Amino acid sequence: MKSGMNKKALARICADEIEKATNIVLLSGAGMSTSAGIPDFRGPNGIYRRQLGINPEKIFDIDYFHENPRFFYDFHREFLKTLKTIKPTYAHKFFATLEKNGKLKGVITQNIDSLHQMAGNKNVLEIHGGIWKSYCIRCKKTWNYEESIALTFSQDVPHCDQCGGVIKPDIVFFGEMVKYLEESQRLVKESDLLFVVGSSLVVTPAALLPGLAKGKIVIVNKGEINKLYLPRSGDILHVEEEIDEFFKSVNKFLGYKLP
Ligand code: CNA
């Protein structure tokens, strides 16, 4: 695993790899959105560092949701309010531009903030679900985005009008199955350049995906990452830089016009 070079040298290597590649895939994590104003989990200002009285890891714990859904909904309302005010980051726009130029085949995201779609990416696999719909955990009735938002802000804990069950957004909690796993695995296997951006690589099965890559892997993450599942013999470049700043440097060599 190469690293330790200066930012400009790393950016040059990265730009060269992008120029050579024809099948780029991005695996993104919460670090990709921190500069937009959404805290991550494990970074220095992450949600896991908050003093909430209850272990913050329980916010997305399915067993705890069944026990105390209000804890999640108090957090979720704040998250939805934040989403109304934010915009895609430089890095989101950079990867949307790579897709527009036929270089990037898809984004596999662990994020639920929809910033990739806002930036213009079309092929986005939200493996941890998203905020687009919600459903009753008892009778499985579903509500679309607008209905879900209205319910979330009109009731402390939204309940089903059909059976009285608790409503849950279609976000994958710890203890639930991820979505689009086979499609994600296929994308990674077929890629000739995999970017892993803003992820601590702690959460599985997302963290297992880079292990399937046959081409080069570029990890851009400032802060500790879990290297346990990374391929031992793979061609991996680890860039420990601030994400937006790094991709600005990369684009100095490529010259893409960003939206
Ligand atoms: P994580 O475990 O919080 O890791 C994020 C990593 O990014 C950390 O190592 C940080 O140090 C690093 N980082 C943060 N900001 C920057 C930056 N500007 N430049 C460089 N590095 C930075 O997050 P993962 O995505 O690995 O964990 C998976 C969880 C987080 C998924 O289940 C997500 O749903 C969940 N999550 C998503 C969001 C979102 O949708 N934006 C927000 C918070 C958590």
Side-chain angles (χ1 to χ4, degrees):
M1 181 137 67
K2 279 180 271 170
S3 65
M5 283 176 255
N6 71 44
K7 185 162 81 178
K8 199 170 169 196
L10 288 165
R12 164 108 248 176
I13 296 174
C14 204
D16 288 347
E17 292 297 335
I18 290 173
E19 278 186 332
K20 275 191 280 171
T22 56
N23 203 334
I24 301 172
V25 169
L26 166 66
L27 170 63
S28 68
M32 188 128 182
S33 302
T34 52
S35 70
I38 306 177
D40 60 8
F41 277 172
R42 297 176 183 83
N45 302 310
I47 293 159
Y48 285 179
R49 295 182 196 262
R50 289 186 190 169
Q51 303 298 322
L52 300 175
I54 298 173
N55 178 354
E57 294 192 29
K58 288 195 182 285
I59 296 171
F60 292 102
D61 177 318
I62 192 63
D63 292 331
Y64 195 68
F65 180 80
H66 289 299
E67 208 179 293
N68 180 8
R70 184 179 293 233
F71 184 57
F72 163 77
Y73 270 107
D74 286 346
F75 171 85
H76 190 52
R77 272 184 285 275
E78 291 310 310
F79 178 68
L80 292 175
K81 281 185 207 159
T82 306
L83 282 194
K84 285 201 165 164
T85 65
I86 57 158
K87 291 197 171 65
T89 66
Y90 186 92
H92 286 98
K93 291 183 205 164
F94 178 78
F95 281 97
T97 305
L98 288 186
E99 188 184 81
K100 209 173 150 203
N101 284 271
K103 285 270 179 193
L104 182 104
K105 296 299 179 236
V107 177
I108 304 159
T109 190
Q110 300 170 80
N111 297 340
I112 53 167
D113 56 31
S114 57
L115 282 177
H116 289 296
Q117 295 91 323
M118 254 193 247
N121 278 106
K122 302 278 181 262
N123 189 19
V124 182
L125 298 176
E126 293 184 314
I127 54 171
H128 292 168
I131 53 169
W132 305 110
K133 61 176 185 174
S134 54
Y135 64 95
C136 168
I137 58 173
R138 192 185 293 159
C139 75
K140 308 298 176 210
K141 177 177 173 181
T142 60
W143 290 267
N144 68 23
Y145 173 75
E146 285 77 20
E147 293 163 340
S148 305
I149 300 289
L151 282 165
T152 303
F153 284 99
S154 62
Q155 299 175 36
D156 279 354
V157 174
H159 281 82
C160 178
D161 57 357
Q162 201 165 265
C163 76
V166 171
I167 299 172
K168 177 182 170 292
D170 200 22
I171 297 167
V172 175
F173 281 34
F174 293 115
E176 293 188 302
M177 288 287 285
V178 299
K179 297 169 186 282
Y180 312 114
L181 188 57
E182 277 181 28
E183 291 97 314
S184 301
Q185 289 169 332
R186 198 171 50 240
L187 265 183
V188 172
K189 278 182 194 161
E190 289 170 3
S191 68
D192 54 4
L193 175 58
L194 174 70
F195 279 97
V196 180
V197 179
S199 178
S200 60
L201 292 175
V202 169
V203 177
T204 57
L208 302 174
L209 289 169
L212 303 171
K214 299 197 171 65
K216 191 169 182 92
I217 302 175
V218 176
I219 299 172
V220 185
N221 196 81
K222 206 171 174 179
E224 214 180 318
I225 57 164
N226 170 28
K227 298 184 178 140
L228 195 64
Y229 311 120
L230 290 173
R232 291 278 166 268
S233 55
D235 187 2
I236 305 176
L237 183 70
H238 184 191
V239 179
E240 295 179 83
E241 299 282 348
E242 204 281 323
I243 293 164
D244 288 332
E245 292 313 312
F246 180 67
F247 285 107
K248 279 180 198 164
S249 305
V250 172
N251 202 25
K252 282 199 183 127
F253 294 107
L254 295 169
Y256 284 120
K257 287 219 167 356
L258 265 54

